[in-house]
PDB file of all heavy atoms in Angstrom:
ATOM      1  N   VAL A  40      19.376  -6.402   4.528  1.00 97.00           N
ATOM      2  CA  VAL A  40      19.762  -7.519   3.665  1.00 97.00           C
ATOM      3  C   VAL A  40      20.253  -6.957   2.338  1.00 97.00           C
ATOM      4  O   VAL A  40      19.749  -5.922   1.870  1.00 97.00           O
ATOM      5  CB  VAL A  40      18.544  -8.453   3.447  1.00 97.00           C
ATOM      6  CG1 VAL A  40      18.838  -9.526   2.429  1.00 97.00           C
ATOM      7  CG2 VAL A  40      18.116  -9.081   4.761  1.00 97.00           C
ATOM      8  N   GLN A  41      21.204  -7.623   1.752  1.00 97.00           N
ATOM      9  CA  GLN A  41      21.657  -7.228   0.426  1.00 97.00           C
ATOM     10  C   GLN A  41      20.699  -7.773  -0.639  1.00 97.00           C
ATOM     11  O   GLN A  41      20.092  -8.846  -0.475  1.00 97.00           O
ATOM     12  CB  GLN A  41      23.062  -7.759   0.154  1.00 97.00           C
ATOM     13  CG  GLN A  41      24.147  -7.083   0.998  1.00 97.00           C
ATOM     14  CD  GLN A  41      24.213  -5.586   0.727  1.00 97.00           C
ATOM     15  OE1 GLN A  41      24.006  -4.772   1.635  1.00 97.00           O
ATOM     16  NE2 GLN A  41      24.507  -5.222  -0.497  1.00 97.00           N
ATOM     17  N   LYS A  42      20.623  -7.069  -1.728  1.00 97.00           N
ATOM     18  CA  LYS A  42      19.795  -7.523  -2.846  1.00 97.00           C
ATOM     19  C   LYS A  42      20.182  -8.944  -3.241  1.00 97.00           C
ATOM     20  O   LYS A  42      21.370  -9.270  -3.362  1.00 97.00           O
ATOM     21  CB  LYS A  42      19.983  -6.577  -4.040  1.00 97.00           C
ATOM     22  CG  LYS A  42      19.185  -6.969  -5.275  1.00 97.00           C
ATOM     23  CD  LYS A  42      19.460  -6.007  -6.429  1.00 97.00           C
ATOM     24  CE  LYS A  42      18.737  -6.472  -7.682  1.00 97.00           C
ATOM     25  NZ  LYS A  42      19.027  -5.595  -8.846  1.00 97.00           N
ATOM     26  N   GLY A  43      19.167  -9.772  -3.398  1.00 97.00           N
ATOM     27  CA  GLY A  43      19.401 -11.168  -3.752  1.00 97.00           C
ATOM     28  C   GLY A  43      19.506 -12.096  -2.563  1.00 97.00           C
ATOM     29  O   GLY A  43      19.473 -13.317  -2.720  1.00 97.00           O
ATOM     30  N   GLY A  44      19.604 -11.535  -1.375  1.00 97.00           N
ATOM     31  CA  GLY A  44      19.726 -12.339  -0.161  1.00 97.00           C
ATOM     32  C   GLY A  44      18.379 -12.849   0.335  1.00 97.00           C
ATOM     33  O   GLY A  44      17.328 -12.579  -0.249  1.00 97.00           O
ATOM     34  N   ILE A  45      18.435 -13.598   1.429  1.00 97.00           N
ATOM     35  CA  ILE A  45      17.225 -14.151   2.041  1.00 97.00           C
ATOM     36  C   ILE A  45      16.901 -13.353   3.307  1.00 97.00           C
ATOM     37  O   ILE A  45      17.762 -13.151   4.164  1.00 97.00           O
ATOM     38  CB  ILE A  45      17.409 -15.627   2.404  1.00 97.00           C
ATOM     39  CG1 ILE A  45      17.766 -16.446   1.149  1.00 97.00           C
ATOM     40  CG2 ILE A  45      16.131 -16.187   3.053  1.00 97.00           C
ATOM     41  CD1 ILE A  45      18.116 -17.888   1.448  1.00 97.00           C
ATOM     42  N   SER A  46      15.656 -12.918   3.409  1.00 97.00           N
ATOM     43  CA  SER A  46      15.187 -12.224   4.615  1.00 97.00           C
ATOM     44  C   SER A  46      14.336 -13.195   5.414  1.00 97.00           C
ATOM     45  O   SER A  46      13.445 -13.848   4.852  1.00 97.00           O
ATOM     46  CB  SER A  46      14.354 -10.991   4.233  1.00 97.00           C
ATOM     47  OG  SER A  46      15.068 -10.117   3.382  1.00 97.00           O
ATOM     48  N   ILE A  47      14.597 -13.278   6.716  1.00 98.00           N
ATOM     49  CA  ILE A  47      13.828 -14.181   7.576  1.00 98.00           C
ATOM     50  C   ILE A  47      13.313 -13.398   8.779  1.00 98.00           C
ATOM     51  O   ILE A  47      14.093 -12.765   9.496  1.00 98.00           O
ATOM     52  CB  ILE A  47      14.686 -15.367   8.055  1.00 98.00           C
ATOM     53  CG1 ILE A  47      15.223 -16.148   6.856  1.00 98.00           C
ATOM     54  CG2 ILE A  47      13.848 -16.284   8.964  1.00 98.00           C
ATOM     55  CD1 ILE A  47      16.184 -17.262   7.227  1.00 98.00           C
ATOM     56  N   ILE A  48      12.020 -13.447   8.980  1.00 98.00           N
ATOM     57  CA  ILE A  48      11.370 -12.764  10.101  1.00 98.00           C
ATOM     58  C   ILE A  48      10.563 -13.793  10.874  1.00 98.00           C
ATOM     59  O   ILE A  48       9.875 -14.619  10.275  1.00 98.00           O
ATOM     60  CB  ILE A  48      10.448 -11.633   9.603  1.00 98.00           C
ATOM     61  CG1 ILE A  48      11.213 -10.664   8.689  1.00 98.00           C
ATOM     62  CG2 ILE A  48       9.854 -10.871  10.789  1.00 98.00           C
ATOM     63  CD1 ILE A  48      10.338  -9.647   7.991  1.00 98.00           C
ATOM     64  N   ASN A  49      10.660 -13.734  12.192  1.00 98.00           N
ATOM     65  CA  ASN A  49      10.037 -14.738  13.032  1.00 98.00           C
ATOM     66  C   ASN A  49       8.924 -14.156  13.895  1.00 98.00           C
ATOM     67  O   ASN A  49       8.961 -12.983  14.272  1.00 98.00           O
ATOM     68  CB  ASN A  49      11.085 -15.376  13.944  1.00 98.00           C
ATOM     69  CG  ASN A  49      12.188 -16.036  13.143  1.00 98.00           C
ATOM     70  OD1 ASN A  49      11.959 -16.967  12.390  1.00 98.00           O
ATOM     71  ND2 ASN A  49      13.409 -15.514  13.287  1.00 98.00           N
ATOM     72  N   CYS A  50       7.977 -14.996  14.216  1.00 97.00           N
ATOM     73  CA  CYS A  50       6.851 -14.583  15.051  1.00 97.00           C
ATOM     74  C   CYS A  50       6.519 -15.709  16.028  1.00 97.00           C
ATOM     75  O   CYS A  50       6.318 -16.854  15.606  1.00 97.00           O
ATOM     76  CB  CYS A  50       5.647 -14.281  14.168  1.00 97.00           C
ATOM     77  SG  CYS A  50       4.249 -13.537  15.021  1.00 97.00           S
ATOM     78  N   ALA A  51       6.479 -15.388  17.311  1.00 97.00           N
ATOM     79  CA  ALA A  51       6.107 -16.346  18.340  1.00 97.00           C
ATOM     80  C   ALA A  51       4.823 -15.875  19.008  1.00 97.00           C
ATOM     81  O   ALA A  51       4.648 -14.677  19.246  1.00 97.00           O
ATOM     82  CB  ALA A  51       7.225 -16.476  19.376  1.00 97.00           C
ATOM     83  N   TYR A  52       3.924 -16.796  19.283  1.00 96.00           N
ATOM     84  CA  TYR A  52       2.647 -16.413  19.867  1.00 96.00           C
ATOM     85  C   TYR A  52       2.354 -17.297  21.077  1.00 96.00           C
ATOM     86  O   TYR A  52       2.936 -18.364  21.248  1.00 96.00           O
ATOM     87  CB  TYR A  52       1.530 -16.504  18.828  1.00 96.00           C
ATOM     88  CG  TYR A  52       1.313 -17.888  18.264  1.00 96.00           C
ATOM     89  CD1 TYR A  52       0.379 -18.753  18.820  1.00 96.00           C
ATOM     90  CD2 TYR A  52       2.052 -18.340  17.175  1.00 96.00           C
ATOM     91  CE1 TYR A  52       0.176 -20.025  18.303  1.00 96.00           C
ATOM     92  CE2 TYR A  52       1.860 -19.605  16.655  1.00 96.00           C
ATOM     93  CZ  TYR A  52       0.927 -20.440  17.228  1.00 96.00           C
ATOM     94  OH  TYR A  52       0.733 -21.710  16.714  1.00 96.00           O
ATOM     95  N   GLU A  53       1.439 -16.829  21.902  1.00 94.00           N
ATOM     96  CA  GLU A  53       1.070 -17.555  23.112  1.00 94.00           C
ATOM     97  C   GLU A  53      -0.328 -18.158  23.042  1.00 94.00           C
ATOM     98  O   GLU A  53      -0.589 -19.207  23.617  1.00 94.00           O
ATOM     99  CB  GLU A  53       1.156 -16.612  24.315  1.00 94.00           C
ATOM    100  CG  GLU A  53       2.564 -16.076  24.586  1.00 94.00           C
ATOM    101  CD  GLU A  53       2.574 -15.033  25.696  1.00 94.00           C
ATOM    102  OE1 GLU A  53       1.504 -14.766  26.267  1.00 94.00           O
ATOM    103  OE2 GLU A  53       3.655 -14.481  25.969  1.00 94.00           O
ATOM    104  N   ASN A  54      -1.212 -17.481  22.344  1.00 91.00           N
ATOM    105  CA  ASN A  54      -2.618 -17.873  22.343  1.00 91.00           C
ATOM    106  C   ASN A  54      -2.842 -19.093  21.439  1.00 91.00           C
ATOM    107  O   ASN A  54      -2.772 -18.987  20.204  1.00 91.00           O
ATOM    108  CB  ASN A  54      -3.469 -16.695  21.871  1.00 91.00           C
ATOM    109  CG  ASN A  54      -4.954 -16.965  21.972  1.00 91.00           C
ATOM    110  OD1 ASN A  54      -5.380 -18.079  22.280  1.00 91.00           O
ATOM    111  ND2 ASN A  54      -5.755 -15.949  21.703  1.00 91.00           N
ATOM    112  N   THR A  55      -3.116 -20.232  22.023  1.00 90.00           N
ATOM    113  CA  THR A  55      -3.296 -21.451  21.224  1.00 90.00           C
ATOM    114  C   THR A  55      -4.609 -21.462  20.463  1.00 90.00           C
ATOM    115  O   THR A  55      -4.855 -22.350  19.653  1.00 90.00           O
ATOM    116  CB  THR A  55      -3.228 -22.691  22.130  1.00 90.00           C
ATOM    117  OG1 THR A  55      -4.197 -22.545  23.189  1.00 90.00           O
ATOM    118  CG2 THR A  55      -1.841 -22.844  22.748  1.00 90.00           C
ATOM    119  N   ALA A  56      -5.455 -20.464  20.696  1.00 89.00           N
ATOM    120  CA  ALA A  56      -6.711 -20.370  19.957  1.00 89.00           C
ATOM    121  C   ALA A  56      -6.530 -19.727  18.586  1.00 89.00           C
ATOM    122  O   ALA A  56      -7.440 -19.772  17.752  1.00 89.00           O
ATOM    123  CB  ALA A  56      -7.735 -19.578  20.763  1.00 89.00           C
ATOM    124  N   PHE A  57      -5.357 -19.130  18.339  1.00 91.00           N
ATOM    125  CA  PHE A  57      -5.114 -18.574  17.004  1.00 91.00           C
ATOM    126  C   PHE A  57      -5.190 -19.707  15.982  1.00 91.00           C
ATOM    127  O   PHE A  57      -4.609 -20.780  16.173  1.00 91.00           O
ATOM    128  CB  PHE A  57      -3.734 -17.918  16.925  1.00 91.00           C
ATOM    129  CG  PHE A  57      -3.619 -16.627  17.676  1.00 91.00           C
ATOM    130  CD1 PHE A  57      -2.444 -16.308  18.327  1.00 91.00           C
ATOM    131  CD2 PHE A  57      -4.650 -15.706  17.709  1.00 91.00           C
ATOM    132  CE1 PHE A  57      -2.303 -15.106  19.018  1.00 91.00           C
ATOM    133  CE2 PHE A  57      -4.530 -14.508  18.393  1.00 91.00           C
ATOM    134  CZ  PHE A  57      -3.345 -14.222  19.059  1.00 91.00           C
ATOM    135  N   ASP A  58      -5.882 -19.439  14.872  1.00 88.00           N
ATOM    136  CA  ASP A  58      -6.010 -20.487  13.865  1.00 88.00           C
ATOM    137  C   ASP A  58      -5.871 -19.964  12.445  1.00 88.00           C
ATOM    138  O   ASP A  58      -6.297 -20.615  11.481  1.00 88.00           O
ATOM    139  CB  ASP A  58      -7.327 -21.248  14.046  1.00 88.00           C
ATOM    140  CG  ASP A  58      -8.538 -20.329  14.093  1.00 88.00           C
ATOM    141  OD1 ASP A  58      -8.376 -19.106  13.898  1.00 88.00           O
ATOM    142  OD2 ASP A  58      -9.646 -20.831  14.313  1.00 88.00           O
ATOM    143  N   TYR A  59      -5.278 -18.789  12.307  1.00 91.00           N
ATOM    144  CA  TYR A  59      -5.002 -18.240  10.976  1.00 91.00           C
ATOM    145  C   TYR A  59      -3.797 -17.336  11.154  1.00 91.00           C
ATOM    146  O   TYR A  59      -3.766 -16.520  12.086  1.00 91.00           O
ATOM    147  CB  TYR A  59      -6.227 -17.460  10.469  1.00 91.00           C
ATOM    148  CG  TYR A  59      -6.105 -16.856   9.098  1.00 91.00           C
ATOM    149  CD1 TYR A  59      -5.808 -17.642   7.994  1.00 91.00           C
ATOM    150  CD2 TYR A  59      -6.339 -15.502   8.898  1.00 91.00           C
ATOM    151  CE1 TYR A  59      -5.727 -17.083   6.723  1.00 91.00           C
ATOM    152  CE2 TYR A  59      -6.256 -14.937   7.632  1.00 91.00           C
ATOM    153  CZ  TYR A  59      -5.954 -15.733   6.558  1.00 91.00           C
ATOM    154  OH  TYR A  59      -5.883 -15.186   5.298  1.00 91.00           O
ATOM    155  N   PHE A  60      -2.796 -17.480  10.267  1.00 93.00           N
ATOM    156  CA  PHE A  60      -1.500 -16.853  10.539  1.00 93.00           C
ATOM    157  C   PHE A  60      -1.042 -16.068   9.312  1.00 93.00           C
ATOM    158  O   PHE A  60      -0.348 -16.577   8.441  1.00 93.00           O
ATOM    159  CB  PHE A  60      -0.478 -17.931  10.932  1.00 93.00           C
ATOM    160  CG  PHE A  60      -0.898 -18.691  12.152  1.00 93.00           C
ATOM    161  CD1 PHE A  60      -1.667 -19.842  12.052  1.00 93.00           C
ATOM    162  CD2 PHE A  60      -0.550 -18.241  13.419  1.00 93.00           C
ATOM    163  CE1 PHE A  60      -2.085 -20.537  13.182  1.00 93.00           C
ATOM    164  CE2 PHE A  60      -0.951 -18.925  14.561  1.00 93.00           C
ATOM    165  CZ  PHE A  60      -1.724 -20.082  14.446  1.00 93.00           C
ATOM    166  N   PRO A  61      -1.402 -14.786   9.250  1.00 94.00           N
ATOM    167  CA  PRO A  61      -1.015 -13.961   8.118  1.00 94.00           C
ATOM    168  C   PRO A  61       0.216 -13.104   8.402  1.00 94.00           C
ATOM    169  O   PRO A  61       0.546 -12.810   9.560  1.00 94.00           O
ATOM    170  CB  PRO A  61      -2.243 -13.052   7.923  1.00 94.00           C
ATOM    171  CG  PRO A  61      -2.823 -12.915   9.292  1.00 94.00           C
ATOM    172  CD  PRO A  61      -2.454 -14.161  10.063  1.00 94.00           C
ATOM    173  N   TRP A  62       0.860 -12.708   7.340  1.00 96.00           N
ATOM    174  CA  TRP A  62       1.881 -11.672   7.373  1.00 96.00           C
ATOM    175  C   TRP A  62       1.363 -10.496   6.550  1.00 96.00           C
ATOM    176  O   TRP A  62       0.854 -10.677   5.438  1.00 96.00           O
ATOM    177  CB  TRP A  62       3.200 -12.165   6.778  1.00 96.00           C
ATOM    178  CG  TRP A  62       3.942 -13.084   7.684  1.00 96.00           C
ATOM    179  CD1 TRP A  62       3.909 -14.440   7.703  1.00 96.00           C
ATOM    180  CD2 TRP A  62       4.867 -12.695   8.721  1.00 96.00           C
ATOM    181  NE1 TRP A  62       4.727 -14.929   8.690  1.00 96.00           N
ATOM    182  CE2 TRP A  62       5.342 -13.890   9.322  1.00 96.00           C
ATOM    183  CE3 TRP A  62       5.340 -11.472   9.193  1.00 96.00           C
ATOM    184  CZ2 TRP A  62       6.247 -13.894  10.378  1.00 96.00           C
ATOM    185  CZ3 TRP A  62       6.251 -11.473  10.235  1.00 96.00           C
ATOM    186  CH2 TRP A  62       6.696 -12.660  10.816  1.00 96.00           C
TER     187      TRP A  62
END
Side-chain angles (χ1 to χ4, degrees):
Chain A
V40 173
Q41 291 299 119
K42 179 182 176 182
I45 302 174
S46 304
I47 301 175
I48 306 171
N49 300 298
C50 188
Y52 61 93
E53 297 174 2
N54 186 353
T55 55
F57 288 144
D58 53 5
Y59 181 57
F60 300 90
W62 285 94

